[in-house]
Each structure stands twice: as C-alpha cells, then as structure tokens.
C-alpha cells in the first residue's frame, strides 16, 4: 500500500507503480511516433508544453525583476496579462479534465480510477496555489511604488507562492501525461470515446 503522504503533490516524485502498468508498456520514447497518438492527445501535450513554457517565462521575468533588469514600474504591466492568462487557462483546462475527460478515462480503464482521483486532488491543490499566487501577486503589485523593504517582502512572498505552484504543476503535468497518454496509445481515442 502506498503511503498517502508520498502521493501528495508537494512531495510526490512520480506515479506509484500500481498506476504505471500502461506507462511501462508505452514509455515516453514511443509516444511521438505511435500510430495511436491522435489529435486529442497531441493537443493535450501541446497545452501542457504551453503551460510549461508560460511558467518558464514568468519565472524568468521574476528573476529579471528581482535582479534589477526590469524596473518596478515596468514589471506590473509585464506580469499582469501573462499571469491572468496563465491562471485562467490553467483553471479552464482543469475543469475540462475533471468534468469531461477524467470520467471517460476512468470508465475506459477502471484500474486507473485511483490515478484520476489523484489528479483531481492535484487540481484542488493547484487551485489553492493559484489563489495564493494571485494574492501575493496583488501584494507585489501594490508594493511596486512603496519602500524597498515592503517591495522585498512582497517579492519574496510572490516568489515563494509562484515557485511552489510551478514546481507542483510540473510534477502534475508529467504524472497526468504518464497516466493518460499510455491509455490512449493502448485503447485509441475512438476506443476510449474521445
């Protein structure tokens, strides 16, 4: 039995072996060229790659700001549209997965039901992190015209919140792909009903 603490998104290092039986048959190296990698799976992987890229851009922008390469008055207009888009797209992506795709995948392979419950729990954790990122980003934006100590505290709080969310999100995206893409390769998109 897997210890629930090792499955928490904050500490998880991958899916438990009990959920990797299809991933063992279809490792990442075979995904790209596999005949059953359909349009939905390709789109899914592209969305995940877009989240990874957006996360890298925002993390790099924060580093540039904290190291003085972006002035405070320029950072707010740079951050706000990127962060709003990122968080909004992430929320929408998770809602589609939770209400449309995960039930279909669970029906297609009931032995993976625990995995989809795990991913749904991840979405709840990520949602809490989104709230924290939004709150600390607003605090940072309010402090941009303030004193240096307040700006440093707000910058640290936002860096901690966004760093935790991005690290957890990267783990979640990888685990979700390791659960879903092998299932699609094994059963086909038509066979699953997507």
């Amino acid at each position: 039995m897997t210890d629930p603490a090792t499955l928490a998104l904050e500490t998880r290092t991958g899916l438990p072996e009990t959920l990797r039986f299809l991933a063992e048959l279809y490792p990442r190296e075979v995904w790209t060229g596999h005949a059953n990698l359909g349009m939905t799976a390709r789109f899914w992987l592209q969305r995940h790659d877009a989240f990874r890229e957006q996360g890298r851009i925002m993390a790099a922008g924060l580093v540039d700001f904290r190291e003085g390469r972006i002035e405070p008055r320029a950072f707010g207009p740079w951050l706000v549209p990127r962060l709003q888009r990122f968080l909004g797209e992430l929320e929408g992506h998770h809602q589609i997965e939770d209400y449309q795709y995960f039930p279909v995948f669970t029906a297609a392979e009931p032995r993976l039901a625990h995995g989809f419950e795990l991913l749904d729990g991840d979405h709840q954790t990520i949602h809490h992190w989104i709230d924290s990122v939004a709150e600390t980003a607003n605090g940072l934006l309010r402090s941009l015209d303030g004193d240096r100590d307040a700006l440093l505290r707000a910058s640290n709080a936002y860096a901690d919140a966004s760093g935790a969310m991005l690290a957890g999100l990267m783990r979640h995206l990888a685990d979700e792909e390791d659960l879903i893409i092998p299932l699609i390769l094994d059963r086909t998109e038509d066979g699953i009903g997507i």
Side-chain angles (χ1 to χ4, degrees), residues 138-156:
N138 285 330
L140 175 58
L141 293 170
R142 285 190 300 272
S143 73
L144 289 175
D145 293 327
D147 69 76
R148 290 186 59 75
D149 289 341
L151 179 59
L152 180 61
R153 283 191 303 277
S155 173
N156 288 341

Side-chain angles (χ1 to χ4, degrees), residues 2-108:
T2 305
D3 177 9
T6 64
L7 295 180
L9 185 54
E10 300 90 334
T11 57
R12 192 168 73 228
T13 59
L15 292 173
E17 288 303 313
T18 57
L19 296 174
R20 296 194 50 81
F21 59 93
L22 290 174
E24 298 298 324
L25 294 173
Y26 303 98
R28 284 180 178 264
E29 302 80 52
V30 304
W31 294 1
T32 304
H34 199 283
N36 291 346
L37 189 72
M39 296 284 288
T40 300
R42 289 179 193 282
F43 176 73
W44 204 311
L45 290 170
Q46 288 170 353
R47 288 300 304 136
H48 282 194
D49 286 345
F51 288 129
R52 289 177 177 106
E53 181 62 19
Q54 287 174 299
R56 280 191 290 270
I57 288 169
M58 287 188 302
L62 179 60
V63 169
D64 286 344
F65 167 69
R66 293 180 69 160
E67 293 182 0
R69 291 186 291 273
I70 298 177
E71 292 294 320
R73 69 179 171 276
F75 186 65
W78 180 89
L79 178 65
V80 168
R82 286 167 179 81
L83 186 58
Q84 285 177 335
R85 180 176 157 214
F86 180 71
L87 298 180
E89 288 178 0
L90 196 54
E91 285 277 357
H93 183 72
H94 287 168
Q95 287 178 355
I96 291 168
E97 289 174 340
D98 289 343
Y99 297 111
Q100 293 181 1
Y101 286 110
F102 289 177
V104 172
F105 293 140
T106 300

Side-chain angles (χ1 to χ4, degrees), residues 119-154:
L119 295 176
D120 180 60
D122 288 355
H123 289 173
Q124 294 175 38
T125 299
I126 293 168
H127 178 78
H128 290 297
W129 286 337
I130 286 172
D131 289 344
S132 179
V133 166
E135 181 181 326
T136 57
N138 285 330
L140 175 58
L141 293 170
R142 285 190 300 272
S143 73
L144 289 175
D145 293 327
D147 69 76
R148 290 186 59 75
D149 289 341
L151 179 59
L152 180 61
R153 283 191 303 277

